[in-house]
Amino acid sequence: MYSEKVMDHFSNPRNVGEIPDACGVGEVGNPVCGDIMKISIKVEDNIITDIKFKTFGCGAAIATSSMVTEMAKGKTIEEALKITKQAVADMLDGLPPQKMHCSNLAADALHKAIEDYKNSQDK
């Protein structure tokens, strides 16, 4: 049902935790499945230098959170904004159709963290 990459990111998630002095935080949830994701980012010179996540949810939710942090780390804000739900699923060698909403949440949480960062820069 799950690819080896999904199982690896579920069993050995990368970038778990919170960044106390985060530049941006994004939190999203899906009340239907109960998954909740929180992503915090540290940005220096327009580059995401650190990124952490906390996820309450199924294995796919944890795997997509882990993968999206790996995809975004070291990228510019503009590059990270181009990370899509499909890109996350593709990097994990696919997700079962009933689990695609999990990858939607991971990309959404990343985009919300970036939006939060951008809003703080406008002040």
Side-chain angles (χ1 to χ4, degrees), residues 5-16 53 62 66:
K5 282 188 183 178
V6 170
M7 294 308 295
D8 180 43
H9 277 269
F10 168 65
S11 301
N12 307 292
R14 284 68 150 179
N15 307 305
V16 176
F53 80 91
I62 292 166
S66 174

Side-chain angles (χ1 to χ4, degrees), residues 64 67-68 71 82-97 100-108 111:
T64 56
M67 179 55 83
V68 85
M71 293 170 73
K82 292 179 183 170
I83 296 173
T84 64
K85 56 190 173 196
Q86 190 60 53
V88 175
D90 290 348
M91 287 296 289
L92 288 166
D93 295 335
L95 288 168
M100 273 303 291
H101 65 273
C102 300
S103 64
N104 296 4
L105 287 180
D108 289 349
H111 294 165

Side-chain angles (χ1 to χ4, degrees), residues 107-120:
D108 289 349
L110 172 63
H111 294 165
K112 279 199 172 201
I114 292 170
E115 184 181 317
D116 184 46
Y117 163 71
K118 283 182 159 190
N119 289 340
S120 72

Side-chain angles (χ1 to χ4, degrees), residues 15-79:
N15 307 305
V16 176
E18 288 183 90
I19 300 172
D21 56 344
C23 299
V25 177
E27 189 168 348
V28 296
N30 183 328
V32 175
C33 65
D35 294 340
I36 300 169
M37 295 178 185
K38 183 177 184 179
I39 290 184
S40 48
I41 58 173
K42 189 80 171 169
V43 181
E44 293 173 19
D45 298 324
N46 201 47
I47 294 174
I48 296 175
T49 57
D50 197 11
I51 181 167
K52 302 267 189 233
F53 80 91
K54 286 186 121 180
T55 294
F56 176 82
C58 66
I62 292 166
T64 56
S65 297
S66 174
M67 179 55 83
V68 85
T69 63
E70 288 287 282
M71 293 170 73
K73 191 181 258 186
K75 299 270 193 299
T76 66
I77 292 296
E78 293 74 24
E79 289 169 332

